[in-house]
Amino acid sequence: MNRKKVRPLIGQGKVADYIPALANVNPNQFGIAVYGNDGTTYHAGQAHTDFSIQSISKVFSLTLAMKHYGETMWERVGREPSGNPFNSLVQLEYEAGIPRNPFINAGALVVSDMNQSRFASPHYAMREFIRRLADNPNLHSDKVVSTSEYEFRARNASMAYLMKAFGNFENDVEDVLHNYFDNCAMQMNCIDLAKAFSFLANKGYSRHNDEQVLTARETTQVNGLLATSGLYDEAGNFAFRVGLPGKSGVGGGIIAIVPNRFSVCVWSPELNKSGNSLAGMAALEALSESIGWSVFG
Ligand code: GLU
């Protein structure tokens, strides 16, 4: 990977500050980990440093919901890119409370509502699922982050109540918000995340815990959604520059999938204007350039 293209970007972005607890992260950090389908792991930089996974958790929630609801879940959430910021309310009103996709906040809230209907303790079910996928029993959610998110929940709460008004929300909004924020506030490092999402590179199979997490078909569907909607309203630019299914979070992490080969996680807390890690995007671009491979040929 060409470090010269990545390093100068550190110091050029802005750490997320709309969640006050995230604003305190040291911006001058970068980590990367790769987990191959043969179980080989490579890592560099601060790959062992935990960070807030934020929206990357939406991929875990979607996976859990798909396992239980299958095709029926798509009656409540769409599969189209939104072209709007991740926390936008505008489409929800004129599209009758059906969010465009599971990776914008409204979509993730509906998916969380589905998981809420299914599990007695939805966050604990999610945490156990993530621990199993990452092969790390110590993973936990940061209470300071989730409490701070709950305190500043007005926008997410508005989306959820609007969907409730349209009949697309089954549970108590405040309960779902608590679980959603607890999921976003999971602390993980690049190695945990590369390992946890290895099933998406391996036809749905998680090698280290010998589990078929999703079917091969569902796996290509999730990767398709990641490629079209995983990077907020910058998914097109990510497809152009990196050419891999990916999901970012405002904590500065990005996971990307090289189908049938490996999963990768990069992390650097400073974000660009679309809310994606500035150095992380550049690192993934350099990686896809150096392996000479993308899902687009
Ligand atoms: N917990 C964040 C929110 O709901 C997630 C944002 C993100 O990473 O996109 O606003």
Side-chain angles (χ1 to χ4, degrees), residues 1-10 29-34 44-45 190 231 238 241-244 252-256 258 262 264-268 270 272 276-293:
M1 189 194 303
N2 191 339
R3 282 182 198 200
K4 288 196 197 113
K5 286 189 187 161
V6 178
R7 197 172 286 275
L9 295 173
I10 294 177
Q29 303 190 78
F30 177 88
I32 182 166
V34 168
C190 290
L231 274 280
F238 191 72
R241 287 178 57 189
V242 180
L244 297 172
I254 309 178
I255 56 120
V258 182
F262 59 82
V264 50
C265 178
V266 289
W267 169 62
S268 189
E270 286 180 342
N272 65 16
N276 295 312
S277 172
L278 191 65
M281 289 262 290
L284 288 173
E285 183 176 23
L287 178 80
S288 83
E289 214 176 302
S290 74
I291 61 173
W293 197 91

Side-chain angles (χ1 to χ4, degrees), residues 48-289:
H48 289 282
T49 305
D50 285 348
F51 58 91
S52 192
I53 69 169
Q54 290 298 314
S55 268
I56 296 175
S57 66
K58 292 169 180 168
V59 192
F60 291 125
S61 313
L62 172 67
T63 304
L64 202 58
M66 280 176 85
K67 282 170 81 66
H68 292 285
Y69 288 93
E71 280 293 310
T72 59
M73 67 178 287
W74 303 112
E75 288 159 18
R76 296 184 56 194
V77 59
R79 300 183 293 231
E80 297 297 338
S82 76
N84 276 313
F86 68 99
N87 56 4
S88 169
L89 274 149
V90 289
Q91 273 167 348
L92 263 190
E93 169 73 358
Y94 61 78
E95 294 183 1
I98 308 288
R100 278 283 175 104
N101 67 68
F103 299 140
I104 49 173
N105 282 16
L109 287 165
V110 165
V111 172
S112 298
D113 181 52
M114 293 179 201
N115 288 330
Q116 187 94 15
S117 300
R118 182 82 207 184
F119 298 102
S121 306
H123 170 63
Y124 291 109
M126 179 64 67
R127 195 182 67 182
E128 287 319 301
F129 182 54
I130 297 175
R131 286 178 172 179
R132 200 165 79 229
L133 289 180
D135 198 16
N136 182 348
N138 301 317
L139 297 173
H140 66 275
S141 181
D142 182 332
K143 264 290 157 204
V144 176
V145 174
S146 60
T147 305
S148 142
E149 288 202 64
Y150 186 75
E151 201 181 322
F152 293 90
R153 67 188 178 286
R155 193 166 258 281
N156 284 314
S158 310
M159 290 174 212
Y161 280 111
L162 186 55
M163 292 190 287
K164 194 150 188 95
F166 278 113
N168 192 20
F169 214 86
E170 289 171 354
N171 297 283
D172 180 76
V173 165
E174 303 302 317
D175 289 349
V176 175
L177 287 173
H178 274 296
N179 285 300
Y180 167 77
F181 292 134
D182 282 341
N183 295 342
C184 289
M186 286 294 294
Q187 290 281 117
M188 295 174 77
N189 63 38
C190 290
I191 298 170
D192 293 324
L193 281 163
K195 203 165 178 181
F197 286 112
S198 60
F199 72 95
L200 290 177
N202 203 7
K203 296 186 164 50
Y205 179 68
S206 170
R207 182 180 195 277
H208 45 274
N209 53 355
D210 188 24
E211 179 181 348
Q212 190 70 41
V213 182
L214 291 178
T215 65
R217 179 77 189 132
E218 287 167 337
T219 303
T220 58
Q221 292 171 341
V222 173
N223 285 336
L225 290 172
L226 289 172
T228 49
S229 306
L231 274 280
Y232 308 124
D233 50 343
E234 203 182 9
N237 191 32
F238 191 72
F240 182 86
R241 287 178 57 189
V242 180
L244 297 172
K247 182 74 202 87
S248 56
V250 294
I254 309 178
I255 56 120
I257 307 300
V258 182
N260 305 316
R261 294 179 67 181
F262 59 82
S263 45
V264 50
C265 178
V266 289
W267 169 62
S268 189
E270 286 180 342
L271 310 178
N272 65 16
K273 287 201 175 68
S274 302
N276 295 312
S277 172
L278 191 65
M281 289 262 290
L284 288 173
E285 183 176 23
L287 178 80
S288 83
E289 214 176 302

